[in-house]
Amino acid sequence: MVVSPENAEKLITKAAAENLDAVVIATVTAGETQCKDDQAKLTMRWHGKIIANLKREFLDSHGAPRFADVIINAYSGQTSQIGLTGTAHSEDPQEQLEKIKTELGTLRSCSRRGLQERFDGSIGAATVLFPWGGKYQATPECGMAALLPAALQSGDANLSAELKNSITASLMSFGFDPALMEADPFNGAKAAVKEALAKFACLGGDYRKARLSMQEYFEKMDKSESWGKVTAALLGALEAQLALEVPAIGGKDSMSGSYRDPVHGIDLTVPPTMVVFAAGTTDAASVRSGTLSGKKGNPVILFYDDRENDEWETFKTNMQGLAKLSENGLVKSAYPAGAGGIGVTLALMAFGNMTGVEADSLFLSLLNDKTYPGAVLVELDGEAIGKSGGEALLGEALQNPVWKGVARTIVEPVFRINSSPYKQNASSAAVPLAELLEAFEAPLCNVYPQTIHGETTAMAVFPHGKKARKNSRTARSSSRPLVVLPVFPGTNCEWDMERAFSAAGARTQQVIFRNRNADDIAASIKELAYVINDAQIVALSGGFSAGDEPDGSGKFIANVFRAPAIADAVQKLLKKRDGLMLGICNGFQALIKLGLVPWGVYREAAETSPALTFNRIGRHVSRMIRTVTMPSSSPWLALEESGTVHILPVSHGEGRIVISRDHAETFFKSGQVPFCYSDRNGNPAMTEPDNPNGSDYAIEALTSPDGRILGKMAHSERCGQYVHINIPGNKFMKIFEAGVRYFS
């Protein structure tokens, strides 16, 4: 950051208040028009000695000029992958289905779920599209859609709903086919631009408003042919940008993708690589999933390039057609055609909701390796088309684009292909979607496991003693309780938690715990204890406090809360003021280490104490899971009914509850297990993926004996009108409202 001299100290002070170090590292000595040529220099010193002294003129030159000869070879168009679109050159339904199944099991088209779940897919309570869409979370979405951050004035519950929640989504997609780039860098780069922008449009954006970023990786530039590959790719990308009037605003390149070992005869180079990213914004209400809706009778059409007209004009006209269909409310889902072909793309769209598909064999071979980039499959709303004026709107939108009707949705969860009815010996073939999904998920399971099969404990869930009831205690001291939200180094969910409590009517106050030095720590302990003494609720947020080091999560938070001043404030909150505590994810891990959950008091862990430890699968897990509400008298559950099923995001590496049989039986009977991981029918789930971490007895959450302290792993605070719109189910848990109402 560059600031005026009088503001430098102010900036450093404000940074320190947020636990950040800031120092002056350089001083601007003079402007370009204020000094002589010999004064315009970049001077760097180390221990008082000048180690760099560069003229501004040299810096402006971007280094020494270089020149290279370029030879662009004519490419044959042949790729190292045979049959880019698996159903091409065949109209036999059974043969096409076999090719689709085979293609789904290739590295090009198979599932990467086990890898993607290692990354938090719901952070910030802003994920519009969860990475895997549908009831079964089985359709990989074609890009990212997330709400832009919206600042919430701390403690202000009078802000309008529009100000509390962003209604603008950022979109990002990418395009890259390594086989096409290797065969022909020029056309491969053009295809990457088309693919990125087609995905952007499928997500609900206007491709014309997107901006591109090119990420390049090529072999070492030591001969003219090497430079030719780079030049061809850049020319292809430039043609696409000029034709579509969508510019690139940045990028990164590396020309070091060569490994040579003459002694052992090794000469390896990376294939020509240009990954094109498209980024931009759109109204959150316009974002859509690529998952088929699950409703029968919806037509699925294909926008594609028939090579009879200019490729760029065709692309623009097709995207305009998609936009017009969307504007008329006729689109249920949209998805870009992939290298595996139309049939594979239809299967991916179908998996999310296990929506049956009936396709026409003739049209499954419409695409090839040159025409699939930029092609889009669109599920239309059959009900909307059938209404008055619907067909006219459809005809208007489809008047100019190049399109074909390729399939329709059906009730039975199968992929059915029919041969042309005009063909002699017309035939039909079908395969269960579950069989295709298995082929899709299986190839990388041993590399990136998705589940550990088998129950966590070979035992049924214990019966429960207490019945759920509404809290009937008398009014507390404040109609608008104050919620204190400590902010620790590494935690990242305070804003989400604050937003949830504020929406429920609470006052909120974040307290940043500063640990840059001993004085900061002492001051932070004093400040946090002071605020807790004035609060009614303490809420510990999720994240990775102190990087979950050393040896386990939540230890940093737990150690802070063991400080005498803070421990004294917490005990007064619980024992004298009838206050509440909540810990989610990292916060739950801290509560259980402190003993506040499940004992309700500070207690050192014993060898047999319940604990949270590493997920049974041995990695971080990010997915949407179901929890079922159990009988409990906890005030946090005062607005929830027993048996209610919610679908919520989890994102953790250490979320597995390990607990003895005796303790589990006691806690179930006393109503201290408020939520369990469940299957789709609301039954407690002992195995993955419904039980994401392998928790004993399906336990997702625990409370103190009186229920006033709640710890849970699933992120109930990550919800909103435009959050996880591609996941159906009950995503709003009322624990925040219940906590606030406890004091009114």
Side-chain angles (χ1 to χ4, degrees):
M1 298 178 65
V2 179
V3 298
S4 58
E6 63 270 18
N7 288 329
E9 194 58 40
K10 294 179 183 178
L11 176 64
I12 292 172
T13 301
K14 286 187 175 294
E18 296 196 16
N19 202 33
L20 300 172
D21 283 320
V23 295
V24 175
I25 63 169
T27 302
V28 178
T29 55
E32 190 172 2
T33 60
Q34 297 173 310
C35 62
K36 299 178 181 178
D37 290 342
D38 59 346
Q39 293 177 318
K41 295 180 180 180
L42 170 66
T43 304
M44 299 178 67
R45 290 180 172 85
W46 174 255
H47 293 296
K49 295 182 178 180
I50 295 177
I51 60 173
N53 196 17
L54 305 175
K55 288 186 177 182
R56 175 64 183 268
E57 182 183 10
F58 174 74
L59 294 175
D60 289 343
S61 72
H62 304 295
R66 292 185 61 191
F67 301 90
D69 293 328
V70 174
I71 296 177
I72 300 178
N73 291 320
Y75 291 93
S76 65
Q78 298 299 313
T79 72
S80 59
Q81 299 188 43
I82 300 173
L84 272 176
T85 52
T87 53
H89 313 302
S90 173
E91 293 182 20
D92 178 73
Q94 186 60 49
E95 185 178 342
Q96 287 181 324
L97 283 175
E98 290 173 359
K99 288 187 175 184
I100 290 171
K101 184 177 179 179
T102 299
E103 175 62 32
L104 284 168
T106 65
L107 291 179
R108 177 175 57 191
S109 297
C110 72
S111 170
R112 278 91 167 158
R113 183 197 299 273
L115 173 61
Q116 290 175 317
E117 285 188 344
R118 294 171 179 258
F119 303 92
D120 194 338
S122 60
I123 186 66
T127 302
V128 181
L129 291 179
F130 198 70
W132 292 80
K135 179 180 178 181
Y136 296 90
Q137 297 175 59
T139 293
E141 298 292 356
C142 68
M144 182 278 294
L147 297 173
L148 292 177
L152 173 63
Q153 186 175 334
S154 183
D156 190 347
N158 298 316
L159 291 173
S160 68
E162 288 75 21
L163 288 178
K164 286 184 178 180
N165 297 287
S166 173
I167 57 174
T168 301
S170 62
L171 304 179
M172 180 174 283
S173 60
F174 79 94
F176 173 60
D177 186 323
L180 290 182
M181 279 294 299
E182 182 181 22
D184 184 346
F186 177 77
N187 284 302
K190 291 200 301 181
V193 174
K194 286 184 189 176
E195 182 183 358
L197 294 177
K199 289 178 177 178
F200 191 89
C202 287
L203 292 169
D206 182 345
Y207 83 91
R208 297 169 299 179
K209 297 180 180 180
R211 294 298 179 261
L212 306 177
S213 176
M214 313 291 186
Q215 305 292 309
E216 303 146 23
Y217 190 30
F218 288 84
E219 64 196 71
K220 185 177 181 180
M221 298 290 107
D222 56 1
K223 49 184 180 290
S224 299
E225 289 79 2
S226 300
W227 283 106
K229 295 176 183 179
V230 177
T231 305
L234 290 174
L235 289 174
L238 179 61
E239 179 183 316
Q241 292 174 72
L242 293 174
L244 299 177
E245 299 181 301
V246 178
I249 58 174
K252 181 182 182 299
D253 64 82
S254 176
M255 309 300 182
S256 60
S258 298
Y259 176 75
R260 290 173 181 144
D261 183 352
V263 175
H264 297 92
I266 299 174
D267 188 356
L268 298 176
T269 61
V270 297
T273 301
M274 177 179 282
V275 183
V276 176
F277 293 89
T281 62
T282 191
D283 292 337
S286 301
V287 177
R288 60 173 161 255
S289 170
T291 308
L292 293 178
S293 64
K295 295 184 178 180
K296 69 172 183 177
N298 284 345
V300 180
I301 67 171
L302 171 72
F303 288 122
Y304 70 110
D305 181 2
D306 61 1
R307 291 289 165 147
E308 293 185 4
N309 298 292
D310 177 76
E311 61 177 311
W312 302 117
E313 289 303 316
T314 298
F315 180 84
K316 289 189 284 187
T317 302
N318 287 349
M319 294 302 102
Q320 291 166 5
L322 174 58
K324 192 67 176 178
L325 289 172
S326 302
E327 181 184 326
N328 293 338
L330 301 180
V331 177
K332 298 296 289 184
S333 62
Y335 206 82
I342 298 172
V344 167
T345 306
L346 282 171
L348 297 181
M349 296 176 73
F351 289 154
N353 289 315
M354 283 297 172
T355 304
V357 173
E358 190 172 56
D360 297 320
S361 65
L362 178 64
F363 300 129
L364 292 184
S365 56
L366 281 173
L367 301 179
N368 57 46
D369 59 328
K370 294 182 178 62
T371 59
Y372 92 80
V376 169
L377 285 164
V378 183
E379 178 194 10
L380 301 176
D381 189 337
E383 184 177 342
I385 294 172
K387 292 180 179 179
S388 177
E391 289 190 4
L393 292 174
L394 178 66
E396 177 188 357
L398 297 180
Q399 185 174 0
N400 296 317
V402 179
W403 67 279
K404 291 282 192 224
V406 297
R408 63 206 62 83
T409 58
I410 58 177
V411 174
E412 188 180 3
V414 300
F415 195 120
R416 178 176 294 120
I417 301 178
N418 300 324
S419 64
S420 171
Y422 306 105
K423 186 178 180 181
Q424 287 186 343
N425 302 319
S427 61
S428 176
V431 63
L433 286 174
E435 184 177 325
L436 294 180
L437 181 60
E438 183 179 355
F440 173 62
E441 298 280 13
L444 293 177
C445 274
N446 291 330
V447 182
Y448 302 112
Q450 298 175 19
T451 62
I452 297 295
H453 296 293
E455 292 186 338
T456 56
T457 305
M459 192 158 314
V461 176
F462 292 109
H464 313 290
K466 291 189 177 183
K467 294 183 179 179
R469 60 182 174 84
K470 301 296 182 184
N471 191 283
S472 59
R473 298 183 181 181
T474 57
R476 268 62 185 177
S477 59
S478 173
S479 59
R480 288 188 61 207
L482 174 64
V483 181
V484 58
L485 301 109
V487 181
F488 296 99
T491 55
N492 54 24
C493 299
E494 296 85 10
W495 287 102
D496 311 338
M497 189 89 87
E498 182 177 26
R499 191 179 297 277
F501 273 113
S502 181
R507 296 174 295 138
T508 59
Q509 182 174 345
Q510 291 188 14
V511 177
I512 298 174
F513 192 90
R514 304 178 304 282
N515 67 334
R516 298 179 311 133
N517 51 54
D519 290 340
D520 274 1
I521 292 173
S524 295
I525 289 173
K526 183 178 179 180
E527 180 185 6
L528 182 54
Y530 178 84
V531 177
I532 291 175
N533 280 322
D534 193 41
Q536 288 73 47
I537 299 174
V538 174
L540 302 179
S541 305
F544 304 92
S545 56
D548 283 349
E549 296 290 345
D551 190 30
S553 57
K555 283 189 174 181
F556 186 90
I557 301 174
N559 286 335
V560 169
F561 268 73
R562 289 190 184 102
I566 295 177
D568 181 65
V570 168
Q571 292 181 76
K572 287 178 180 178
L573 169 76
L574 297 173
K575 294 179 179 179
K576 295 185 178 181
R577 303 205 308 278
D578 209 16
L580 302 178
M581 291 189 74
L582 172 65
I584 294 180
C585 198
N586 209 203
F588 182 17
Q589 292 159 343
L591 289 176
I592 208 166
K593 282 180 169 63
L594 290 166
L596 291 170
V597 169
W599 313 118
V601 296
Y602 280 82
R603 178 185 290 189
E604 290 297 324
E607 190 173 325
T608 59
S609 296
L612 282 163
T613 188
F614 296 100
N615 300 342
R616 192 170 288 276
I617 197 172
R619 64 164 170 83
H620 187 95
V621 171
S622 173
R623 70 175 65 131
M624 299 292 288
I625 54 89
R626 295 170 183 80
T627 63
V628 60
T629 306
M630 310 302 286
S632 172
S633 59
S634 169
W636 290 106
L637 274 71
L639 301 179
E640 298 288 354
E641 297 291 339
S642 296
T644 301
V645 175
H646 298 90
I647 185 161
L648 305 167
V650 293
S651 185
H652 56 252
E654 298 178 49
R656 174 166 62 104
I657 286 281
V658 177
I659 190 170
S660 69
R661 176 190 175 96
D662 290 342
H663 279 145
E665 186 171 12
T666 297
F667 297 149
F668 273 107
K669 286 183 177 179
S670 62
Q672 285 183 250
V673 181
F675 303 107
C676 280
Y677 298 111
S678 77
D679 61 20
R680 292 181 180 85
N681 299 316
N683 301 311
M686 304 294 285
T687 58
E688 299 175 277
D690 295 319
N691 185 330
N693 45 49
S695 281
D696 290 345
Y697 309 106
I699 296 172
E700 183 266 334
L702 288 170
T703 71
S704 57
D706 61 8
R708 290 189 291 119
I709 308 174
L710 168 64
K712 66 191 311 292
M713 287 309 301
H715 287 277
S716 306
E717 80 280 15
R718 295 184 181 182
C719 61
Q721 180 182 2
Y722 297 116
V723 177
H724 307 142
I725 64 170
N726 57 337
I727 305 293
N730 179 12
K731 290 168 279 191
F732 291 86
M733 188 172 274
K734 300 176 183 177
I735 58 173
F736 305 103
E737 291 85 346
V740 173
R741 290 193 189 187
Y742 181 71
F743 296 93
S744 62

